[in-house]
């Protein structure tokens, strides 16, 4: 069965709606970081308790991604995305109206469940609307939108909460979700999830799939073993003031956005090299911070290097799922999202264990070494076929 492609303006509108949804979901995930004090005071709970709103969110995404993708694998993507965006709107409104910590937590977990499935179905739905050779550009656009959450969404939401109160940015979140919901419900074609060129990997390869999953998990663990404690590092090791640290975090977000934008243009041309380069760059940034972070200039350089790689690593693994998935791409993307979020949680936990033993520089050293391991995995996977071919050639009898 062949599905008629929608008009170009319709495809562009759907892509814009999915980009807005990616921006909103990522903002929702991280917004409590900027509203810690306000929520703590408003609900009369401790700051660490508010921090658990972020931890619980990430763990929920990690655990629920693959099971939810499996349960909904036969449903049309339009129906699934409409339901997920409806859940985003309802949970955001519930969070804005919450008068107790537990109601807010329950609303956050509902948003996390929606996000867990959103990242699995969004990619194939968006990519399937465009010609196959534009795949990298579509993935890049979605990743740029997600990265804007840290550069624009969280700072804007924090400012809005400071000017009014913490429920206001959560209500605004619901408004953005509603715009995406209406657009998707009206314009996205209804088709079976197994239809279209994005439903299955373009170059199915179970070994490559497993390697990318493992490398993504290792790089995420390494990144967040250090990045979780970046404020402490910049203050205690590099000697920056609190105001300067805030500016450097903005610069980190801008570097992440720039890295994602550049990587999007390369995904279609050199997909294998793009992922390896991003992971190697992250490793260099983290190891550089550990080794030379006491020098302020070096600290800024390596911080931006790490920022320029952090977004592209996840972006490139998502693109590899669309290429190498041995089965359905939505299940592959769900697996990738799950292991990446598990890596984030594991990295933060490992960093917490290393902090009292090796100091904050030690957390970046450990993170850099884990990321180097991810790079080694990718390189080994690429070199293995060449080694086998060489051995086979040597084994052939001489003419």
């Amino acid at each position: 069965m062949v599905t008629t492609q929608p008009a170009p303006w319709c495809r562009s509108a759907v892509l814009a709606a999915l980009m807005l949804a990616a921006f909103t979901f990522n903002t929702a995930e991280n917004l409590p970081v900027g509203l810690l004090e306000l929520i703590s005071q408003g609900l009369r709970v401790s700051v660490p308790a508010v921090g658990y709103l972020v931890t619980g969110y990430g763990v929920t995404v990690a655990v629920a991604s693959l099971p939810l993708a499996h349960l909904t694998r036969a449903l049309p993507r339009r129906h699934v995305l409409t339901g997920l965006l409806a859940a985003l709107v309802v949970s955001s409104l519930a969070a804005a109206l919450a008068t107790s910590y537990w109601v807010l937590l329950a609303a956050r977990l509902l948003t996390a469940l929606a996000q867990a499935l959103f990242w699995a179905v969004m990619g194939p739905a968006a990519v399937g609307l465009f010609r196959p050779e534009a795949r990298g550009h579509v993935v890049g656009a979605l990743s740029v939108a997600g990265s804007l959450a840290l550069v624009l969404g969280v700072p804007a939401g924090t400012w809005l909460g400071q000017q009014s109160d913490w429920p206001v940015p959560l209500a605004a979140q619901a408004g953005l979700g509603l715009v995406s919901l209406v657009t998707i419900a009206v314009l996205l074609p209804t088709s079976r999830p197994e239809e279209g060129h994005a439903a299955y990997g373009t170059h199915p390869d179970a070994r490559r799939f497993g390697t990318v999953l493992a490398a993504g998990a290792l790089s995420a663990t390494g990144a967040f073993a250090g990045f979780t404690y970046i404020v402490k590092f910049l203050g205690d090791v590099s000697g920056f003031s609190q105001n300067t640290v805030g500016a450097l975090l903005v610069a980190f977000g801008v570097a992440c956005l720039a890295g994602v934008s550049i990587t999007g243009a390369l995904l279609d041309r050199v997909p294998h090299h793009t992922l390896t380069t991003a992971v190697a760059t992250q490793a260099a940034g983290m190891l550089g911070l550990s080794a030379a972070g006491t020098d302020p200039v070096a600290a800024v350089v390596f911080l931006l290097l790490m920022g320029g790689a952090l977004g592209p690593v996840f972006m490139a693994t998502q693109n590899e799922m669309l290429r190498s998935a041995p089965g359905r791409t939505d299940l592959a993307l769900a697996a990738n999202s799950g292991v990446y979020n598990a890596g984030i949680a594991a990295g933060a936990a490992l960093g917490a264990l290393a902090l009292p033993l090796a100091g904050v520089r030690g957390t970046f050293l450990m993170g850099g070494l884990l990321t180097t391991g991810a790079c080694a995995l990718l390189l080994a996977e690429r070199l293995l076929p060449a080694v086998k071919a060489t051995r086979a050639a040597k084994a052939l009898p001489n003419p």
Side-chain angles (χ1 to χ4, degrees):
M1 177 178 176
V2 179
T3 309
T4 303
Q5 283 284 66
W9 70 266
C10 182
R11 296 199 298 267
S12 298
V14 171
L15 178 60
L18 290 172
M19 291 171 66
L20 179 61
F23 169 82
T24 307
F25 268 118
N26 275 13
T27 300
E29 180 175 7
N30 296 287
L31 188 55
V33 173
L35 302 175
L36 281 175
E37 295 289 345
L38 292 174
I39 296 175
S40 173
Q41 294 168 8
L43 296 182
R44 297 179 181 177
V45 294
S46 67
V47 169
V50 181
Y52 290 138
L53 296 175
V54 178
T55 304
Y57 195 108
V59 171
T60 301
V61 173
V63 172
S65 292
L66 192 55
L68 288 177
H70 183 74
L71 287 172
T72 60
R73 66 190 183 281
L75 299 178
R77 303 296 87 171
R78 174 171 168 263
H79 297 164
V80 173
L81 284 167
T82 301
L84 296 176
L85 291 168
L88 171 63
V89 172
V90 170
S91 61
S92 296
L93 288 175
L97 296 172
T99 57
S100 76
Y101 174 80
W102 297 108
V103 172
L104 179 58
L105 177 61
R108 289 273 302 167
L109 294 182
L110 176 58
T111 309
L113 287 172
Q115 180 167 333
L117 184 55
F118 174 77
W119 286 108
V121 299
M122 171 192 67
V127 169
L129 293 172
F130 297 86
R131 62 187 189 279
E133 55 268 28
R135 174 168 295 189
H137 292 288
V138 175
V139 172
L142 295 170
S143 297
V144 167
S147 299
L148 275 173
L150 293 177
V151 180
L152 178 62
V154 174
T158 301
W159 178 85
L160 187 58
Q162 291 169 343
Q163 300 306 308
S164 49
D165 201 0
W166 65 266
V168 176
L170 300 182
Q173 206 173 268
L176 295 177
L178 184 60
V179 173
S180 296
L181 167 61
V182 172
T183 306
I184 296 298
V186 173
L187 297 180
L188 184 65
T190 302
S191 59
R192 296 179 62 83
E194 67 272 15
E195 294 173 355
H197 65 82
Y200 295 91
T202 55
H203 301 80
D205 186 336
R207 188 183 67 187
R208 176 66 179 173
F209 171 75
T211 300
V212 171
L213 277 184
L218 264 180
S219 64
T221 303
F224 286 86
F227 182 66
T228 305
Y229 309 97
I230 188 64
V231 172
K232 182 176 178 61
F233 184 96
L234 293 174
D236 293 357
V237 177
S238 304
F240 291 110
S241 67
Q242 186 174 356
N243 290 336
T244 305
V245 168
L248 287 174
L249 291 180
V250 173
F252 182 93
V254 172
C256 180
L257 180 60
V260 165
S261 301
I262 294 169
T263 303
L266 301 174
L267 284 178
D268 291 319
R269 302 175 189 174
V270 284
H272 286 78
H273 297 302
T274 302
L275 175 57
T276 305
T277 300
V279 173
T281 303
Q282 178 184 303
M286 299 195 74
L287 293 174
L289 280 169
S290 176
T294 53
D295 178 75
V297 174
V300 171
V301 171
F302 287 116
L303 178 71
L304 295 180
L305 199 63
M306 181 184 172
L310 190 59
V313 169
F314 181 68
M315 174 186 180
T317 59
Q318 291 286 86
N319 189 64
E320 281 294 326
M321 293 297 103
L322 291 169
R323 286 174 50 82
S324 64
R328 286 267 295 273
T329 53
D330 52 357
L331 296 178
L333 289 166
N336 188 54
S337 178
V339 299
Y340 192 86
N341 279 277
I344 291 174
L350 284 175
L353 292 173
L355 192 61
L357 299 175
V360 70
R361 290 178 73 177
T363 66
F364 277 83
L365 175 60
M366 178 176 65
L369 292 175
L370 287 169
T371 308
T372 301
C375 190
L377 269 179
L378 293 168
L379 290 173
E381 189 267 341
R382 292 287 290 164
L383 292 173
L384 189 59
V387 172
K388 285 185 175 180
T390 301
R391 288 178 177 174
K394 289 181 177 178
L396 292 174
N398 292 324

